[in-house]
Amino acid sequence: MTAQRPGIGRYRWVICALLFAATSINYVDRQIIGVLKPTLQLEFGWTESSYGDVVFWFQAAYALGYLGFGRVIDKIGARLGYAAVVALWTAAHIAHALVSSLGGFIAVRFALGLGESGNFPAGLKAIAEWFPKQERALATGIFVAGSNVGAIVTPLIVPFITYRWGWRAAVVLTGSFSLVWLVFWLKIYRRPKDHPKLGAGELAFINGDSSPEADAPRALTNMTWRRLLLVPETWAYALARFLIDPIWWMFLFWLPDFFAKRYQLDLAYFGPPLVAVYLVSDLGSISGGWLSSRLIRSGFTLNRARKLTMLLASILVMPVMFAMHADNLWLAVAILGMATAGHQAFSATLYTFPSDVFPKQAVGTVVGIGGTAGAIGGMLMAKYAGWVLDGIGSYTPIFIVAAAVYILALGVLQVLAPRLRAVVM
């Protein structure tokens, strides 16, 4: 955790733990389709393009939901907004056990995408409410690290349940996790000023926002989508998300298949390589948030600290273009682990961008715009991956794209937001 004055409590980290748990569960429900891909393809006879269509419609719903839920969560708040999206995605996830056709899977994945799209707008809204700027990158890194934990847990528990009781049982049992989380969320979460367990010292610390920033706030008169879309910082965030989000989706939905095809691993054996990849990516998520926060405490400007962290993360991803050519399984695991760590470090730092430059009442909307852009990119990646794998049968073209987009995203940020100026509404 970051250094703080004596007498200030740490209850805000309880909230961060809840956000971490929600994201872990979100990714278990999301990734199960990737882990079950070989099983479902064998049972239902799906082609690579058919599987790509299932992913495509999840992404389409995610794009729509991200945009809508960002706005809704700004209006109704993180507590009720988070509860609503968790309830929706849980119902959709369990409904997977009831379908048997490609159209049925597309329908339930569409509903799942709508619900899961609210996770990051709600979580980032909560972080904006509960953490000062100098701690947001670390809190966001921990929050985002839940995605790695979900990705680690899924290949461990889903094959175990599937081999014993079938893939439908795996869907129902994993769906029960979020119901337990929902009870704790509604019991614990309140805004800081309304929370009975938050001391005055910690509340003042949360509201203090002592992070250094050289640029004066830039006035923005009202918070409408049209007005936000005229702000270059909105486009900086959205375009960066459009470029990098599809790579994480690709890792999430296609890595099990990569290990199965390249190294002839089945459901029982590709768990350990996936666990190793996502353990390394977890380190990237937390380290990226830690480094950015540490640089700020060391005297770097907010702008320099964030962008230097993203530059280092971009470099980590580049060797992924050679992953297909690794003859040794564990060499490929090392390359992919480094790439996913770089993604998570970049992503955790980028996720702080809306709360760094926009007022709290606009954070959810801006996050929604960026998430929609990222999901549209993910839709294109789903079609591209299906086309490449059906037509060429190699992951190399996909990994080359992955290696290039992070440095491009950083360039976009530098052009459209050369200094992280605070936008005041």
Side-chain angles (χ1 to χ4, degrees):
M1 309 302 176
T2 58
Q4 59 181 36
R5 298 186 296 275
I8 295 175
R10 295 185 179 273
Y11 195 81
R12 62 197 181 280
W13 298 106
V14 174
I15 303 301
C16 190
L18 279 173
L19 302 178
F20 171 87
T23 304
S24 300
I25 295 165
N26 181 283
Y27 270 75
V28 170
D29 294 353
R30 185 178 307 191
Q31 197 201 6
I32 196 169
I33 194 78
V35 173
L36 291 175
K37 178 179 183 282
T39 302
L40 297 175
Q41 281 187 305
L42 183 63
E43 181 171 338
F44 299 117
W46 294 351
T47 65
E48 293 293 343
S49 294
S50 296
Y51 177 74
D53 287 340
V54 173
V55 175
F56 176 90
W57 286 107
F58 172 89
Q59 297 285 103
Y62 201 85
L64 292 172
Y66 223 133
L67 189 62
F69 278 126
R71 188 81 167 173
V72 168
I73 288 164
D74 274 338
K75 289 185 176 296
I76 70 174
R79 183 173 182 266
L80 292 179
Y82 223 147
V85 299
V86 171
L88 175 57
W89 98 51
T90 301
H93 176 70
I94 293 173
H96 283 60
L98 304 176
V99 300
S100 299
S101 66
L102 181 63
F105 273 95
I106 287 173
V108 295
R109 292 300 289 182
F110 188 90
L112 182 71
L114 282 176
E116 291 208 333
S117 66
N119 183 69
F120 283 101
L124 294 171
K125 178 79 168 180
I127 286 173
E129 289 180 351
W130 273 87
F131 289 88
K133 283 185 179 179
Q134 68 266 32
E135 289 188 336
R136 282 181 197 158
L138 178 57
T140 303
I142 295 171
F143 166 50
V144 172
S147 62
N148 305 317
V149 171
I152 290 166
V153 168
T154 310
L156 292 177
I157 63 172
V158 170
F160 178 85
I161 299 170
T162 300
Y163 271 115
R164 282 153 183 79
W165 302 294
W167 66 265
R168 297 178 195 274
V171 167
V172 173
L173 289 174
T174 53
S176 67
F177 299 163
S178 50
L179 296 175
V180 175
W181 179 89
L182 192 57
V183 172
F184 282 95
W185 175 257
L186 291 173
K187 181 177 177 60
I188 293 173
Y189 192 87
R190 301 289 186 279
R191 289 182 300 174
K193 68 184 183 65
D194 299 325
H195 208 291
K197 293 189 177 181
L198 191 66
E202 188 171 7
L203 179 60
F205 178 72
I206 290 168
N207 292 329
D209 267 358
S210 58
S211 64
E213 185 57 69
D215 297 305
R218 187 162 56 87
L220 192 62
T221 56
N222 55 65
M223 189 192 67
T224 64
W225 280 350
R226 182 178 180 276
R227 184 63 173 148
L228 284 171
L229 290 174
L230 294 175
V231 177
E233 287 85 354
T234 303
W235 285 100
Y237 179 70
L239 290 174
R241 292 287 303 275
F242 174 81
L243 290 167
I244 73 163
D245 281 15
I247 309 308
W248 183 248
W249 294 114
M250 181 271 295
F251 289 139
L252 195 68
F253 293 133
W254 272 276
L255 272 191
D257 182 72
F258 168 74
F259 287 126
K261 289 192 168 124
R262 179 66 178 84
Y263 301 102
Q264 293 75 55
L265 304 181
D266 63 13
L267 186 64
Y269 293 102
F270 59 55
L274 285 173
V275 168
V277 166
Y278 290 118
L279 278 173
V280 176
S281 71
D282 233 351
L283 294 176
S285 177
I286 296 173
S287 297
W290 173 85
L291 177 61
S292 179
S293 296
R294 180 59 183 263
L295 290 173
I296 291 171
R297 295 199 307 275
S298 298
F300 282 64
T301 64
L302 186 70
N303 182 60
R304 191 179 176 194
R306 300 287 196 244
K307 290 176 181 173
L308 180 58
T309 301
M310 286 189 276
L311 175 62
L312 295 174
S314 301
I315 295 169
L316 280 179
V317 182
M318 290 179 180
V320 77
M321 71 178 73
F322 304 113
M324 188 73 186
H325 302 290
D327 291 329
N328 181 275
L329 168 64
W330 292 102
L331 176 59
V333 167
I335 293 170
L336 288 163
M338 190 163 60
T340 56
H343 169 88
Q344 290 293 68
F346 195 107
S347 181
T349 308
L350 180 62
Y351 277 146
T352 66
F353 184 92
S355 58
D356 284 339
V357 302
F358 289 93
K360 291 178 182 179
Q361 68 269 23
V363 167
T365 303
V366 175
V367 169
I369 292 169
T372 297
I376 292 170
M379 293 165 65
L380 297 177
M381 174 58 77
K383 289 292 188 181
Y384 175 66
W387 175 76
V388 167
L389 295 175
D390 268 338
I392 301 174
S394 171
Y395 277 87
T396 296
I398 299 170
F399 288 155
I400 289 173
V401 171
V405 296
Y406 293 85
I407 200 71
L408 180 59
L410 180 57
V412 168
L413 283 170
Q414 182 60 25
V415 169
L416 294 178
R419 296 179 300 278
L420 299 186
R421 300 180 295 177
V423 175
V424 178
M425 296 184 178

